[in-house]
mmCIF file of all heavy atoms in Angstrom:
data_model
loop_
_atom_site.group_PDB
_atom_site.id
_atom_site.type_symbol
_atom_site.label_atom_id
_atom_site.label_comp_id
_atom_site.label_asym_id
_atom_site.label_seq_id
_atom_site.Cartn_x
_atom_site.Cartn_y
_atom_site.Cartn_z
ATOM 1 N N ARG A 61 -148.162 -80.726 129.015
ATOM 2 C CA ARG A 61 -148.456 -80.703 127.556
ATOM 3 C C ARG A 61 -148.561 -79.258 127.020
ATOM 4 O O ARG A 61 -148.861 -79.055 125.846
ATOM 5 C CB ARG A 61 -149.815 -81.421 127.338
ATOM 6 C CG ARG A 61 -149.754 -82.908 127.672
ATOM 7 C CD ARG A 61 -151.145 -83.525 127.534
ATOM 8 N NE ARG A 61 -152.044 -83.068 128.595
ATOM 9 C CZ ARG A 61 -152.022 -83.479 129.805
ATOM 10 N NH1 ARG A 61 -151.134 -84.401 130.210
ATOM 11 N NH2 ARG A 61 -152.897 -83.027 130.720
ATOM 12 N N LEU A 62 -148.237 -78.285 127.860
ATOM 13 C CA LEU A 62 -148.342 -76.874 127.450
ATOM 14 C C LEU A 62 -146.978 -76.258 127.248
ATOM 15 O O LEU A 62 -146.056 -76.505 128.028
ATOM 16 C CB LEU A 62 -149.098 -76.077 128.518
ATOM 17 C CG LEU A 62 -150.510 -76.526 128.844
ATOM 18 C CD1 LEU A 62 -151.041 -75.645 129.962
ATOM 19 C CD2 LEU A 62 -151.394 -76.425 127.658
ATOM 20 N N LYS A 63 -146.845 -75.484 126.175
ATOM 21 C CA LYS A 63 -145.667 -74.716 125.942
ATOM 22 C C LYS A 63 -146.036 -73.306 125.481
ATOM 23 O O LYS A 63 -146.808 -73.148 124.581
ATOM 24 C CB LYS A 63 -144.717 -75.331 124.915
ATOM 25 C CG LYS A 63 -143.447 -74.553 124.742
ATOM 26 C CD LYS A 63 -142.413 -75.283 123.868
ATOM 27 C CE LYS A 63 -142.706 -75.178 122.422
ATOM 28 N NZ LYS A 63 -141.596 -75.775 121.616
ATOM 29 N N ALA A 64 -145.523 -72.294 126.192
ATOM 30 C CA ALA A 64 -145.814 -70.937 125.864
ATOM 31 C C ALA A 64 -144.576 -70.273 125.220
ATOM 32 O O ALA A 64 -143.455 -70.504 125.696
ATOM 33 C CB ALA A 64 -146.222 -70.134 127.115
ATOM 34 N N THR A 65 -144.832 -69.507 124.163
ATOM 35 C CA THR A 65 -143.740 -68.818 123.466
ATOM 36 C C THR A 65 -144.141 -67.321 123.348
ATOM 37 O O THR A 65 -145.317 -66.989 123.427
ATOM 38 C CB THR A 65 -143.480 -69.406 122.058
ATOM 39 O OG1 THR A 65 -144.724 -69.304 121.297
ATOM 40 C CG2 THR A 65 -143.136 -70.909 122.208
ATOM 41 N N LEU A 66 -143.128 -66.522 123.109
ATOM 42 C CA LEU A 66 -143.363 -65.069 123.035
ATOM 43 C C LEU A 66 -142.551 -64.423 121.908
ATOM 44 O O LEU A 66 -141.375 -64.755 121.701
ATOM 45 C CB LEU A 66 -142.951 -64.434 124.355
ATOM 46 C CG LEU A 66 -143.138 -62.899 124.496
ATOM 47 C CD1 LEU A 66 -144.635 -62.539 124.464
ATOM 48 C CD2 LEU A 66 -142.482 -62.388 125.771
ATOM 49 N N THR A 67 -143.232 -63.563 121.138
ATOM 50 C CA THR A 67 -142.583 -62.711 120.171
ATOM 51 C C THR A 67 -142.838 -61.249 120.587
ATOM 52 O O THR A 67 -143.491 -61.025 121.630
ATOM 53 C CB THR A 67 -143.150 -62.935 118.735
ATOM 54 O OG1 THR A 67 -144.450 -62.374 118.641
ATOM 55 C CG2 THR A 67 -143.132 -64.418 118.407
ATOM 56 N N LYS A 68 -142.417 -60.349 119.760
ATOM 57 C CA LYS A 68 -142.605 -58.891 120.148
ATOM 58 C C LYS A 68 -144.060 -58.439 120.029
ATOM 59 O O LYS A 68 -144.390 -57.398 120.505
ATOM 60 C CB LYS A 68 -141.691 -58.032 119.280
ATOM 61 C CG LYS A 68 -140.215 -58.192 119.627
ATOM 62 C CD LYS A 68 -139.357 -57.188 118.878
ATOM 63 C CE LYS A 68 -137.917 -57.354 119.302
ATOM 64 N NZ LYS A 68 -137.040 -56.383 118.590
ATOM 65 N N LYS A 69 -144.877 -59.250 119.348
ATOM 66 C CA LYS A 69 -146.288 -58.822 119.141
ATOM 67 C C LYS A 69 -147.307 -59.834 119.642
ATOM 68 O O LYS A 69 -148.475 -59.516 119.789
ATOM 69 C CB LYS A 69 -146.539 -58.588 117.668
ATOM 70 C CG LYS A 69 -145.762 -57.422 117.081
ATOM 71 C CD LYS A 69 -146.158 -57.203 115.598
ATOM 72 C CE LYS A 69 -145.386 -56.003 115.022
ATOM 73 N NZ LYS A 69 -145.826 -55.775 113.608
ATOM 74 N N GLU A 70 -146.870 -61.080 119.906
ATOM 75 C CA GLU A 70 -147.833 -62.086 120.269
ATOM 76 C C GLU A 70 -147.216 -63.228 121.042
ATOM 77 O O GLU A 70 -145.989 -63.393 121.074
ATOM 78 C CB GLU A 70 -148.591 -62.638 119.042
ATOM 79 C CG GLU A 70 -147.660 -63.242 118.012
ATOM 80 C CD GLU A 70 -148.398 -63.509 116.693
ATOM 81 O OE1 GLU A 70 -149.634 -63.433 116.643
ATOM 82 O OE2 GLU A 70 -147.703 -63.821 115.725
ATOM 83 N N SER A 71 -148.095 -63.994 121.699
ATOM 84 C CA SER A 71 -147.668 -65.175 122.370
ATOM 85 C C SER A 71 -148.557 -66.320 121.940
ATOM 86 O O SER A 71 -149.717 -66.140 121.582
ATOM 87 C CB SER A 71 -147.787 -64.988 123.909
ATOM 88 O OG SER A 71 -147.505 -66.178 124.592
ATOM 89 N N PHE A 72 -147.972 -67.509 121.933
ATOM 90 C CA PHE A 72 -148.705 -68.714 121.599
ATOM 91 C C PHE A 72 -148.688 -69.693 122.783
ATOM 92 O O PHE A 72 -147.633 -69.816 123.437
ATOM 93 C CB PHE A 72 -148.138 -69.387 120.361
ATOM 94 C CG PHE A 72 -148.312 -68.620 119.095
ATOM 95 C CD1 PHE A 72 -147.311 -67.732 118.666
ATOM 96 C CD2 PHE A 72 -149.466 -68.698 118.360
ATOM 97 C CE1 PHE A 72 -147.468 -67.023 117.506
ATOM 98 C CE2 PHE A 72 -149.635 -67.968 117.185
ATOM 99 C CZ PHE A 72 -148.641 -67.099 116.767
ATOM 100 N N LEU A 73 -149.797 -70.316 122.968
ATOM 101 C CA LEU A 73 -149.839 -71.417 123.958
ATOM 102 C C LEU A 73 -150.075 -72.677 123.138
ATOM 103 O O LEU A 73 -151.154 -72.884 122.610
ATOM 104 C CB LEU A 73 -150.924 -71.201 124.966
ATOM 105 C CG LEU A 73 -151.003 -72.248 126.099
ATOM 106 C CD1 LEU A 73 -149.766 -72.154 126.969
ATOM 107 C CD2 LEU A 73 -152.254 -72.018 126.957
ATOM 108 N N HIS A 74 -149.023 -73.506 123.054
ATOM 109 C CA HIS A 74 -149.104 -74.715 122.244
ATOM 110 C C HIS A 74 -149.551 -75.845 123.145
ATOM 111 O O HIS A 74 -148.986 -76.037 124.252
ATOM 112 C CB HIS A 74 -147.723 -75.044 121.651
ATOM 113 C CG HIS A 74 -147.150 -73.927 120.850
ATOM 114 N ND1 HIS A 74 -147.479 -73.679 119.538
ATOM 115 C CD2 HIS A 74 -146.252 -72.970 121.215
ATOM 116 C CE1 HIS A 74 -146.802 -72.595 119.098
ATOM 117 N NE2 HIS A 74 -146.045 -72.160 120.110
ATOM 118 N N ILE A 75 -150.514 -76.625 122.678
ATOM 119 C CA ILE A 75 -151.001 -77.767 123.468
ATOM 120 C C ILE A 75 -150.723 -79.042 122.669
ATOM 121 O O ILE A 75 -151.264 -79.228 121.570
ATOM 122 C CB ILE A 75 -152.510 -77.620 123.756
ATOM 123 C CG1 ILE A 75 -152.734 -76.305 124.494
ATOM 124 C CG2 ILE A 75 -152.991 -78.802 124.591
ATOM 125 C CD1 ILE A 75 -154.207 -75.992 124.726
ATOM 126 N N THR A 76 -149.869 -79.874 123.196
ATOM 127 C CA THR A 76 -149.420 -81.058 122.498
ATOM 128 C C THR A 76 -150.209 -82.265 123.082
ATOM 129 O O THR A 76 -150.211 -82.506 124.275
ATOM 130 C CB THR A 76 -147.967 -81.307 122.689
ATOM 131 O OG1 THR A 76 -147.243 -80.168 122.169
ATOM 132 C CG2 THR A 76 -147.478 -82.559 121.906
ATOM 133 N N ALA A 77 -150.834 -83.045 122.137
ATOM 134 C CA ALA A 77 -151.566 -84.251 122.503
ATOM 135 C C ALA A 77 -152.462 -83.983 123.730
ATOM 136 O O ALA A 77 -152.309 -84.628 124.790
ATOM 137 C CB ALA A 77 -150.583 -85.387 122.765
ATOM 138 N N PRO A 78 -153.427 -83.055 123.570
ATOM 139 C CA PRO A 78 -154.232 -82.674 124.732
ATOM 140 C C PRO A 78 -155.137 -83.854 125.210
ATOM 141 O O PRO A 78 -155.481 -84.753 124.453
ATOM 142 C CB PRO A 78 -155.086 -81.547 124.210
ATOM 143 C CG PRO A 78 -155.159 -81.776 122.717
ATOM 144 C CD PRO A 78 -153.838 -82.317 122.352
ATOM 145 N N LYS A 79 -155.461 -83.734 126.508
ATOM 146 C CA LYS A 79 -156.382 -84.705 127.143
ATOM 147 C C LYS A 79 -157.638 -83.946 127.545
ATOM 148 O O LYS A 79 -157.601 -82.687 127.710
ATOM 149 C CB LYS A 79 -155.692 -85.344 128.322
ATOM 150 C CG LYS A 79 -154.465 -86.134 127.983
ATOM 151 C CD LYS A 79 -153.844 -86.787 129.211
ATOM 152 C CE LYS A 79 -152.647 -87.646 128.837
ATOM 153 N NZ LYS A 79 -152.043 -88.331 130.013
ATOM 154 N N PRO A 80 -158.713 -84.679 127.829
ATOM 155 C CA PRO A 80 -159.949 -83.986 128.253
ATOM 156 C C PRO A 80 -159.757 -83.082 129.468
ATOM 157 O O PRO A 80 -160.425 -82.050 129.590
ATOM 158 C CB PRO A 80 -160.892 -85.172 128.581
ATOM 159 C CG PRO A 80 -160.443 -86.233 127.636
ATOM 160 C CD PRO A 80 -158.946 -86.099 127.566
ATOM 161 N N GLU A 81 -158.831 -83.456 130.349
ATOM 162 C CA GLU A 81 -158.603 -82.615 131.547
ATOM 163 C C GLU A 81 -157.902 -81.265 131.238
ATOM 164 O O GLU A 81 -157.798 -80.383 132.116
ATOM 165 C CB GLU A 81 -157.806 -83.379 132.587
ATOM 166 C CG GLU A 81 -156.498 -83.957 132.108
ATOM 167 C CD GLU A 81 -156.627 -85.418 131.751
ATOM 168 O OE1 GLU A 81 -157.669 -85.796 131.143
ATOM 169 O OE2 GLU A 81 -155.709 -86.207 132.112
#
Side-chain angles (χ1 to χ4, degrees):
Chain A
R61 295 174 292 281
L62 301 177
K63 183 169 78 172
T65 61
L66 181 65
T67 72
K68 290 187 177 180
K69 294 183 178 181
E70 57 192 350
S71 176
F72 292 94
L73 185 65
H74 306 277
I75 303 175
T76 301
K79 298 181 177 182
E81 53 262 43

